[in-house]
């Protein structure tokens, strides 16, 4: 598995209110909004992206680019931005998202 992993893509943290959290990050840090709705927001910093997620939608996690992932594989899902991913857990139960962007 590790041969196909490229680099860290983003970190996701859970927040209570997506729009309030998004505004706070945009007001306090040099970053740009890539996407937002009521269930998640995506922010880009110079060196990494941050996902703001609700507890009901996503677990807190970090995502690693995996160029070999395919939609036909078990547990792989397609996202609204056309990316595909699957969640796995490490040895200590932390969530990792293996993700591939199709753009």
């Amino acid at each position: 598995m590790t041969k196909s992993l490229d680099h860290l893509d983003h970190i996701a943290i859970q927040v209570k209110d997506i729009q309030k959290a998004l505004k706070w990050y945009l007001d306090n840090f040099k970053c740009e909004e890539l996407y937002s709705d009521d269930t998640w927001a995506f922010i880009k910093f110079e060196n990494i992206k941050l996902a703001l997620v609700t507890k009901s939608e996503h677990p807190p996690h970090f995502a690693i680019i995996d160029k070999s992932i395919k939609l036909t594989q078990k547990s792989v899902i397609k996202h609204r931005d056309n990316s595909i991913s699957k969640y796995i857990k490490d040895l200590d139960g932390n969530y990792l998202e293996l993700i591939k962007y199709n753009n």
Side-chain angles (χ1 to χ4, degrees):
M1 176 169 49
T2 57
K3 289 183 181 181
S4 65
L5 301 182
D6 189 16
H7 64 274
L8 193 63
D9 181 66
H10 69 268
I11 298 170
I13 60 171
Q14 290 180 340
V15 298
K16 293 178 184 174
D17 184 303
I18 297 294
Q19 295 307 315
K20 283 183 182 177
L22 176 61
K23 182 178 179 343
W24 188 85
Y25 277 93
L26 293 174
D27 288 349
N28 287 285
F29 298 97
K30 186 177 179 183
C31 57
E32 67 177 288
E33 177 183 342
L34 298 176
Y35 177 86
S36 70
D37 64 26
D38 291 336
T39 63
W40 72 286
F42 218 23
I43 304 167
K44 183 177 181 181
F45 291 82
E46 183 178 336
N47 61 341
I48 196 162
K49 293 176 275 189
L50 176 65
L52 307 173
V53 300
T54 59
K55 188 175 185 176
S56 63
E57 291 286 322
H58 302 279
H61 63 273
F62 64 93
I64 299 172
I65 297 291
D66 183 349
K67 294 178 181 174
S68 70
I69 198 167
K70 293 178 179 31
L71 192 53
T72 56
Q73 294 171 319
K74 183 180 178 181
S75 304
V76 173
I77 58 170
K78 186 175 181 178
H79 298 286
R80 55 193 125 188
D81 66 356
N82 209 32
S83 63
I84 57 173
S85 73
K86 73 176 181 177
Y87 287 96
I88 62 171
K89 288 185 180 180
D90 69 10
L91 297 175
D92 294 304
N94 298 299
Y95 281 98
L96 290 80
E97 180 183 22
L98 304 178
I99 191 165
K100 177 181 174 185
Y101 293 97
N102 291 314
N103 49 7

